[in-house]
Amino acid sequence: MNVAAQCNSEVDDLAHSGVCPNVPVCTFFKAYGNDQRYERELSGFFLLYCLGDRQGRCLRKDAGRRLGAPEKVPANMLPNGLPVSGTDDSEWSEEAKDAAGRRRAVA
């Protein structure tokens, strides 16, 4: 069973599992959780942040709080605030970039 399938199987009983409570509405999880093309690259993120002890350090959670809802966080933002490999933050709102700490200083 892949990591995303494991998360999905535990989502129904979040109160008794180690699954992040944002998984049902997480745009990252919805976009990449069952995408076989990204399974190898992203399984570590799912294990550490969606199922593991780094849930409290997930920048997606922080960004969701700052933006008013987890659904407002760009799907391609990793839990560490960086874009998924092969994508970029060019379509992220300035608010999302701020929330992820990715806003660049203007000279």
Side-chain angles (χ1 to χ4, degrees):
M1 176 185 303
N2 70 24
V3 176
Q6 182 180 351
C7 285
N8 282 325
S9 71
E10 295 179 13
V11 164
D12 292 334
D13 192 18
L14 286 175
H16 302 293
S17 73
V19 177
C20 172
N22 284 356
V23 164
V25 294
C26 179
T27 56
F28 170 68
F29 187 81
K30 286 181 177 183
Y32 298 100
N34 291 310
D35 191 328
Q36 297 298 316
R37 296 172 297 172
Y38 292 95
E39 183 175 356
R40 175 178 271 158
E41 177 183 349
L42 300 179
S43 64
F45 285 101
F46 293 127
L47 285 171
L48 291 171
Y49 292 93
C50 303
L51 290 171
D53 61 355
R54 290 195 180 177
Q55 290 178 30
R57 294 172 48 192
C58 179
L59 292 182
R60 292 187 55 81
K61 272 187 173 179
D62 292 341
R65 281 190 285 272
R66 291 179 184 167
L67 296 172
E71 299 89 347
K72 293 183 178 181
V73 180
N76 69 326
M77 181 190 292
L78 292 167
N80 65 5
L82 298 172
V84 170
S85 179
T87 70
D88 60 40
D89 64 4
S90 62
E91 294 185 17
W92 297 4
S93 69
E94 290 303 312
E95 293 82 12
K97 289 178 185 177
D98 283 344
R102 294 195 49 79
R103 191 156 200 199
R104 293 172 181 88
V106 178

